[in-house]
Amino acid sequence: MVLEVIVDISTAEIDRPFDYEGDDVPLGSRVSVEFSRRRTIGFVIGKKEKSDFPGLKKATYLDTPVTPEQLKLMDAMRERYNLRHIDVLRLFIPAKLREERDPEFKRIYLTAAKGLDPVAVETALKRAPKQKEALDFLSSSEGEYLSVLTERFGAGVVNGLRERGFVEESAVHETRVPLKTLSGAAKAVTLTEDQQHAVDAVTEGKGVFLLHGVTGSGKTEVYMNVIERMLERGKTAVMLVPEIALTPQILGLFRARFGDLVALMHSGLNAGERYDEWKRLKDGRARIAVGPRSAVFAPLENIGVIIIDEEHDSSYVSESNPRYDTKEVAKMRAAECGAALLLGSATPDMESYLKATEGVYTLLSLKKRIAAYQLPEMEIVDMVQEFRYGNRSMFSAALKDAIDAALSRGEQVILFLNRRGFSSFLMCKSCGWVAKCEDCDVSLTYHKSENVLKCHCCGKRYHMLSKCPECGGEDIKQGRTGTEKVAEELKNLFPNVRVLRMDNDTTSRKDSYFRILREFALGGADILVGTQMIAKGHDFPNVTLVGILEADSALYFSDYRSSERTFQLITQVAGRAGRADKKGRVILQTYSPRHYVFRFGKSYDYEGFWRKEINTRMVTKFPPFTKVVRVLVAAEEEQDAVECTRAIYRALKERERETDGFVYLGAARSPVTRMKGLTRYQVLMRLRPELFERLMPEIYRLTAEHKPQKGSCFAEIDPQSLI
Ligand code: ADP
Ligand code: ZN
Ligand code: ZN
């Protein structure tokens, strides 16, 4: 039999099936093949009797990790997003399966040997502190995989311990459950009428459902009940959450309710854990996949429902290769399996709500928060006024008083900074010079704890400066405030306050999100200061005050979604206050208190906001009434970038003359002109939906035809950021 195989190499030239001789194995099988004189794995996507090529090499069957349903999804995604076969296939399988080795093979598990004499150990390892450290680690834990231990301490150290007989090895092990300690208490609740209606609608009906309800209105309870019914019918479920930081919470609830039927799929796990969880789903031992966007590719069959919580969240859009929109992929997958798609949010995406009002989606609303839970009161503080009264601090008088009051009652506070820059950039006070990255056209961020400047775009580090390189001035100041500065100022105002920071700087380690959140939840600090990361779903019963320090900084980004993003943020942040029996309070500081975002935000009036905003979008012809498409050309040589951009632009200009589907077409340098050493140009367009569908294949073709010699060229649909 001739097998058509996609090999595990991602380049444009190899993006097609190659013929191999092999047994009649199912489509989606993994095989071992030789490709340009090296061994690699491949996936069977087609079979035929004869090949046009003589003397085919042999493909050896390994296993069948991909289902026919997933292969169909692959094709649909390839067409929609112009992706390579292998890039999509890789989404469906854990990294372990990209090696030829049996993934179960050599998964030796080590534990500290029992009954070791501490004195003997001490003496023996006197000169081997690393071995001592590794052994201590094993003794204080339940053991570890050999591979993980080796990664961490080095092969020499681990082998040393094995030779001395200080460790015990076992080849078989129980499947490890990630974040095992996490499990909430299962609560039996009687669903409210609205909740019951939602559960019935989703489980009896068909298509896409939009569950709209403020934080604390009981959406999660609806999700769990829908899943329960699906399981009863012998079906499986996918539960997507926006970010890794949010997974523990939902995981805890789900474990309490569904036990081992839940499997976690996310990138924070190590390769072994990921494989184990994947395998449990594949074998049917687990039937609910929980995780961020990659969980949409879960190896489940017979899916009854795919749920996307916080469906408006931008983390559902993958912005690097392979680029895809999880919501769209979920829609394709649900349609293919006959599953329901349930989108949930307190602040649905403009487009989702539009579809719901048009009846394309079924709208389900949870109108109120669950009885005991009240929405916190929101106060808007005009910072211009504060400044006029001589308050130069970043805290308004109202916020300062409120913090003071909360602390004196022994309650907790969350302070939120609406910005992705986590600390501050460096600026010369005399001449206005700003420190920038050599390779990227972005300002550097100062990290006080390490006393270095970092580029958040490419990661490059620079020494901190004492003088301005332009004018020699010594008055170099941090240009903006960040979480570090907030924490500092808090310490000045409230000397004994215990402050925790949550931002990219403090969460570089994979478990630090969880550590910080847990510490705060356990009362280890009085105030949590953070960026976007703390805006979502975390549940802290003792938090009664939330301060939003710069509510409007997102408003000034030149992005048509600024208002929408700001509304989403303040609604979400507000949801953090007063979840338990205590009444919550939100203080929102802004320089534009009369902006309609705040007017609607204050009264939690999503519909009012949506109506105003959708009207603006309609008049200005922005999404969802058009599609924004950007072709980004990045090249080592500026001239190269210019020529490719020009060629693409001209071809599109030609089309613009023939149709009236273009609302906008323009070519220019990208706002961030240089990134990672490449010069960037872009063609930006807004298209009416009908033209968009027709034109996309042509745009993809243009990007392939006009690739710079050294660099890249690709198209993005509704990109989340336009830098
Ligand atoms: P959301 O997901 O919309 O933020 P949750 O589902 O987390 O809301 O519900 C908020 C709180 O209300 C949770 O503690 C949950 O256990 C509780 N809750 C939800 N539904 C009910 C109900 N019908 N009766 C009593 N408590 C409920
Ligand atoms: Zn200067
Ligand atoms: Zn850089």
Side-chain angles (χ1 to χ4, degrees), residues 436-442 444 454-460 462 674-677:
K436 284 193 171 177
C437 177
E438 289 170 357
D439 294 335
C440 315
D441 182 29
V442 298
L444 297 171
K454 282 190 211 167
C455 171
H456 280 180
C457 185
C458 71
K460 208 166 182 169
Y462 298 81
R674 274 172 71 70
M675 197 183 277
K676 296 176 190 171

Side-chain angles (χ1 to χ4, degrees), residues 193 195-205 209 226 229 233:
E193 216 171 287
Q195 284 174 319
Q196 191 61 53
H197 169 72
V199 173
D200 291 343
V202 178
T203 50
E204 317 285 314
F209 300 85
V226 167
R229 279 217 207 154
R233 293 182 193 165

Side-chain angles (χ1 to χ4, degrees), residues 15-76:
D15 184 32
R16 61 180 176 86
F18 290 87
D19 289 355
Y20 284 89
E21 187 68 49
D23 298 334
D24 187 1
V25 297
L27 296 184
S29 291
R30 198 166 66 103
V31 289
S32 162
V33 295
E34 193 189 304
F35 188 84
S36 76
R37 271 184 245 112
R38 58 176 248 236
R39 287 214 80 76
T40 178
I41 60 140
F43 297 88
V44 179
I45 63 157
K47 294 189 278 192
K48 54 193 179 190
E49 288 305 323
K50 277 219 297 281
S51 169
D52 297 337
F53 303 95
L56 294 183
K57 295 209 188 73
K58 264 208 80 75
T60 317
Y61 174 78
L62 297 170
D63 46 24
T64 309
V66 182
T67 61
E69 182 254 313
Q70 289 179 319
L71 286 179
K72 270 200 192 144
L73 187 59
M74 174 185 83
D75 284 336

Side-chain angles (χ1 to χ4, degrees), residues 10 371 479 722:
S10 176
L722 284 172

Side-chain angles (χ1 to χ4, degrees), residues 83-321:
L83 303 174
R84 293 179 194 140
H85 288 95
I86 192 62
D87 290 340
V88 187
L89 280 163
R90 283 177 186 169
L91 295 169
F92 294 119
I93 59 156
K96 280 261 167 211
L97 289 186
R98 294 185 47 208
E99 303 161 11
E100 197 182 325
R101 273 188 306 182
D102 178 349
E104 310 277 1
F105 183 61
K106 276 212 167 159
R107 300 207 63 203
I108 298 172
Y109 200 72
L110 298 181
T111 47
K114 286 184 200 75
L116 287 176
D117 175 9
V119 183
V121 170
E122 192 70 37
T123 329
L125 297 183
K126 208 173 199 123
R127 293 222 174 72
K130 271 293 223 183
Q131 290 188 31
K132 177 79 174 46
E133 196 188 323
L135 186 61
D136 286 345
F137 169 77
L138 283 179
S139 319
S140 64
S141 62
E142 293 169 33
E144 188 50 271
Y145 287 106
L146 172 62
S147 55
V148 178
L149 209 64
T150 307
E151 220 170 274
R152 180 153 173 184
F153 294 99
V157 170
V158 178
N159 285 333
L161 284 177
R162 294 169 87 190
E163 277 156 25
R164 287 180 210 265
F166 287 170
V167 291
E168 277 165 19
E169 306 178 7
S170 53
V172 253
H173 63 85
E174 54 172 318
T175 306
R176 265 207 323 192
V177 182
L179 303 170
K180 199 186 207 153
T181 46
L182 263 175
S183 94
K187 254 203 298 200
V189 302
T190 313
L191 295 187
T192 63
E193 216 171 287
D194 281 347
Q195 284 174 319
Q196 191 61 53
H197 169 72
V199 173
D200 291 343
V202 178
T203 50
E204 317 285 314
K206 255 203 172 69
V208 184
F209 300 85
L210 178 64
L211 181 62
H212 175 220
V214 291
T215 331
S217 60
K219 294 188 293 296
T220 311
E221 205 55 55
V222 171
Y223 303 153
M224 292 196 287
N225 279 276
V226 167
I227 292 175
E228 200 154 51
R229 279 217 207 154
M230 290 300 175
L231 294 181
E232 281 163 13
R233 293 182 193 165
K235 304 225 169 204
T236 62
V238 175
M239 174 78 225
L240 302 180
V241 288
E243 264 176 283
I244 291 176
L246 217 70
T247 329
Q249 188 154 7
I250 202 108
L251 191 65
L253 287 170
F254 272 51
R255 284 243 174 90
R257 183 87 156 240
F258 303 109
D260 288 343
L261 288 178
V262 181
L264 174 63
M265 295 187 71
H266 90 54
S267 58
L269 308 179
N270 68 41
E273 290 173 326
R274 275 206 227 175
Y275 173 76
D276 286 349
E277 290 292 87
W278 180 88
K279 190 80 167 111
R280 289 201 310 123
L281 289 164
K282 180 82 183 154
D283 293 349
R285 280 174 288 149
R287 290 165 64 202
I288 307 165
V290 175
R293 64 176 184 237
S294 59
V296 78
F297 303 109
L300 286 168
E301 284 175 64
N302 207 4
I303 299 175
V305 65
I306 301 178
I307 300 171
I308 305 185
D309 191 25
E310 313 275 5
E311 63 96 31
H312 61 274
D313 196 275
S314 60
S315 73
Y316 287 122
V317 180
S318 163
E319 301 227 75
S320 56
N321 186 42

Side-chain angles (χ1 to χ4, degrees), residues 265-494:
M265 295 187 71
H266 90 54
S267 58
L269 308 179
N270 68 41
E273 290 173 326
R274 275 206 227 175
Y275 173 76
D276 286 349
E277 290 292 87
W278 180 88
K279 190 80 167 111
R280 289 201 310 123
L281 289 164
K282 180 82 183 154
D283 293 349
R285 280 174 288 149
R287 290 165 64 202
I288 307 165
V290 175
R293 64 176 184 237
S294 59
V296 78
F297 303 109
L300 286 168
E301 284 175 64
N302 207 4
I303 299 175
V305 65
I306 301 178
I307 300 171
I308 305 185
D309 191 25
E310 313 275 5
E311 63 96 31
H312 61 274
D313 196 275
S314 60
S315 73
Y316 287 122
V317 180
S318 163
E319 301 227 75
S320 56
N321 186 42
R323 280 166 233 286
Y324 62 88
D325 175 355
T326 311
K327 234 189 295 180
E328 226 168 37
V329 172
K331 209 183 285 178
M332 298 185 222
R333 190 164 190 193
E336 182 64 39
C337 331
L341 175 61
L342 174 56
L343 310 173
S345 177
T347 52
D349 183 69
M350 282 288 138
E351 178 162 14
S352 300
Y353 205 77
L354 179 65
K355 287 197 168 135
T357 57
E358 288 170 343
V360 181
Y361 296 172
T362 308
L363 181 63
L364 305 164
S365 304
L366 302 178
K367 299 250 156 43
K368 297 190 287 280
R369 270 189 150 188
I370 300 296
Y373 300 80
Q374 285 178 50
L375 285 169
E377 206 142 299
M378 212 182 289
E379 288 158 50
I380 304 208
V381 178
D382 182 352
M383 288 308 274
V384 178
Q385 200 79 291
E386 289 281 322
F387 195 78
R388 223 172 269 148
Y389 292 147
N391 181 2
R392 299 282 185 278
S393 119
M394 45 204 304
F395 301 103
S396 60
L399 183 56
K400 227 179 307 180
D401 290 348
I403 294 176
D404 205 14
L407 294 180
S408 66
R409 286 192 304 265
E411 294 164 357
Q412 289 173 297
V413 177
I414 291 181
L415 295 179
F416 175 79
L417 263 132
N418 186 7
R419 181 181 297 134
R420 277 190 199 281
F422 313 95
S423 25
S424 46
F425 66 78
L426 207 65
M427 194 175 85
C428 169
K429 278 245 164 161
S430 339
C431 74
W433 171 86
V434 171
K436 284 193 171 177
C437 177
E438 289 170 357
D439 294 335
C440 315
D441 182 29
V442 298
S443 47
L444 297 171
T445 302
Y446 177 54
H447 289 247
K448 192 168 185 184
S449 46
E450 298 166 78
N451 194 35
V452 293
L453 297 164
K454 282 190 211 167
C455 171
H456 280 180
C457 185
C458 71
K460 208 166 182 169
R461 299 157 73 96
Y462 298 81
H463 286 297
M464 177 58 183
L465 299 164
S466 54
K467 266 196 222 138
C468 169
E470 282 295 312
C471 73
E474 289 182 16
D475 200 1
I476 299 187
K477 276 271 150 51
Q478 298 176 19
R480 273 196 243 179
T481 55
T483 50
E484 275 178 324
K485 267 201 88 184
V486 176
E488 259 177 40
E489 196 161 324
L490 279 172
K491 291 245 148 115
N492 292 336
L493 288 173
F494 310 99

Side-chain angles (χ1 to χ4, degrees), residues 473-687:
E474 289 182 16
D475 200 1
I476 299 187
K477 276 271 150 51
Q478 298 176 19
R480 273 196 243 179
T481 55
T483 50
E484 275 178 324
K485 267 201 88 184
V486 176
E488 259 177 40
E489 196 161 324
L490 279 172
K491 291 245 148 115
N492 292 336
L493 288 173
F494 310 99
N496 296 320
V497 77
R498 297 166 306 159
V499 179
L500 269 177
R501 279 201 297 130
M502 174 100 141
D503 53 39
N504 257 15
D505 213 12
T506 56
T507 54
S508 45
R509 284 189 40 208
K510 93 173 188 198
D511 57 350
S512 25
Y513 284 109
F514 310 140
R515 202 175 35 75
I516 294 174
L517 292 176
R518 196 159 48 227
E519 196 178 334
F520 189 61
L522 292 174
D526 309 303
I527 303 182
L528 177 63
V529 181
T531 53
Q532 259 84 339
M533 284 177 205
I534 56 169
K536 295 169 190 162
H538 312 293
D539 206 345
F540 303 108
N542 198 33
V543 171
T544 54
L545 173 66
V546 170
I548 307 178
L549 293 181
E550 296 164 60
D552 34 18
S553 55
L555 280 179
Y556 302 122
F557 290 140
S558 51
D559 183 329
Y560 67 91
R561 281 164 299 208
S562 301
S563 303
E564 183 183 7
R565 295 256 162 87
T566 304
F567 187 84
Q568 289 165 353
L569 270 168
I570 56 182
T571 310
Q572 240 155 15
V573 174
R576 301 304 118 233
R579 304 254 322 181
D581 44 352
K582 300 178 187 120
K583 179 121 173 92
R585 195 170 164 201
V586 176
I587 295 182
L588 190 154
Q589 302 187 160
T590 169
Y591 291 93
S592 31
R594 268 160 296 278
H595 194 291
Y596 66 90
V597 167
F598 301 123
R599 190 155 41 82
F600 290 115
K602 185 177 152 75
S603 47
Y604 299 94
D605 183 4
Y606 171 80
E607 264 192 75
F609 170 76
W610 181 84
R611 239 180 265 122
K612 168 127 184 85
E613 184 69 18
I614 202 80
N615 204 35
T616 310
R617 301 276 185 95
M618 190 154 67
V619 173
T620 53
K621 301 197 181 69
F622 269 98
F625 300 99
T626 53
K627 284 274 186 187
V628 174
V629 178
R630 167 165 86 157
V631 177
L632 191 81
V633 182
E636 269 182 25
E637 297 296 328
E638 172 147 18
Q639 197 48 36
D640 200 2
V642 170
E643 274 160 26
C644 293
T645 310
R646 192 174 288 152
I648 294 168
Y649 175 73
R650 284 202 180 130
L652 290 169
K653 196 79 198 162
E654 204 54 41
R655 304 290 269 119
E656 192 190 21
R657 276 191 210 109
E658 300 158 12
T659 98
D660 60 354
F662 278 88
V663 170
Y664 173 83
L665 174 65
R669 290 175 156 210
S670 291
V672 177
T673 312
R674 274 172 71 70
M675 197 183 277
K676 296 176 190 171
L678 301 177
T679 304
R680 306 159 88 233
Y681 277 74
Q682 64 186 26
V683 180
L684 198 61
M685 63 208 108
R686 293 211 305 280
L687 308 170

